[in-house]
Amino acid sequence: MKYIPKPDPEPPQQQSPPPPSPPAAAAAAAPVKPPSPPRAPRVSPKLQPQAQPKPSSVTIAPNPPPPITTTTSIPIRTNTSPIAKSPVRVSPSAKHELIRYTKIVRRLKWKLPFLASGYALALKGRDPKHGDAVISGGVLNEGEIMFKLDFFEYYMLIERALVHLLGVFGIT
């Protein structure tokens, strides 16, 4: 149980009030309570021996309820083997790598004719149908810019295909 001291019911009185004005003389005739005696300085409960408190100055408060928690428990898998394993990336199977490789090769075959036609437009020169781009003071052919972008995408697909082909043979 915790002991909670009660606050004083009234604040301490001032030393001497100013002289009352003539209209307030009737109110000043009422009796005035003498000032309450000064309180003794408080001592920490750890340093003070346990004594029975006065019932008029201390109220007994019940123990506070335990805090309410609203967490849900999620099962956590732990490694029960005696040797701790470091996290290792599991590589996909060779069959999965071969499937990914063939999908990328199909995509490369689809993009090749469009890349060839973009290359022809870039070599042809300026096309009056399309605007030219101005980059750092120079004028570039729009077809050349678009071919460079298409070739970059095609090259990225070639790199991905090679990585998956290496995975078919287990080379990482």
Side-chain angles (χ1 to χ4, degrees):
M1 295 183 119
K2 293 185 178 181
Y3 296 102
I4 301 173
K6 285 186 180 178
D8 287 340
E10 57 189 54
Q13 297 286 333
Q14 297 289 334
Q15 291 290 343
S16 62
S21 61
V32 178
K33 289 184 178 181
S36 62
R39 298 175 106 191
R42 293 186 182 182
V43 179
S44 171
K46 293 179 181 177
L47 301 176
Q48 182 180 15
Q50 290 196 358
Q52 294 295 331
K54 295 179 183 178
S56 64
S57 65
V58 176
T59 305
I60 298 174
N63 287 335
I68 299 172
T69 57
T70 58
T71 59
T72 58
S73 62
I74 299 173
I76 299 173
R77 294 183 184 190
T78 57
N79 189 0
T80 57
S81 67
I83 301 173
K85 295 180 181 178
S86 62
V88 177
R89 183 174 172 241
V90 178
S91 60
S93 66
K95 183 177 180 180
H96 179 74
E97 292 286 352
L98 184 61
I99 290 170
R100 293 296 303 151
Y101 170 75
T102 53
K103 285 180 181 180
I104 293 173
V105 168
R106 281 195 348 241
R107 183 72 181 148
L108 285 169
K109 286 181 181 178
W110 173 260
K111 284 179 96 43
L112 187 59
F114 299 106
L115 189 65
S117 65
Y119 182 67
L121 285 174
L123 288 180
K124 187 177 179 183
R126 296 184 181 164
D127 189 2
K129 295 179 187 176
H130 303 290
D132 292 331
V134 177
I135 298 178
S136 66
V139 177
L140 292 178
N141 181 3
E142 186 75 13
E144 182 181 347
I145 294 171
M146 294 301 143
F147 171 73
K148 288 179 179 180
L149 291 172
D150 290 340
F151 182 78
F152 177 75
E153 292 172 3
Y154 194 80
Y155 186 83
M156 296 304 293
L157 285 173
I158 291 171
E159 284 183 345
R160 284 181 50 205
L162 288 175
V163 168
H164 288 292
L165 185 62
L166 290 172
V168 170
F169 297 105
I171 301 170
T172 58

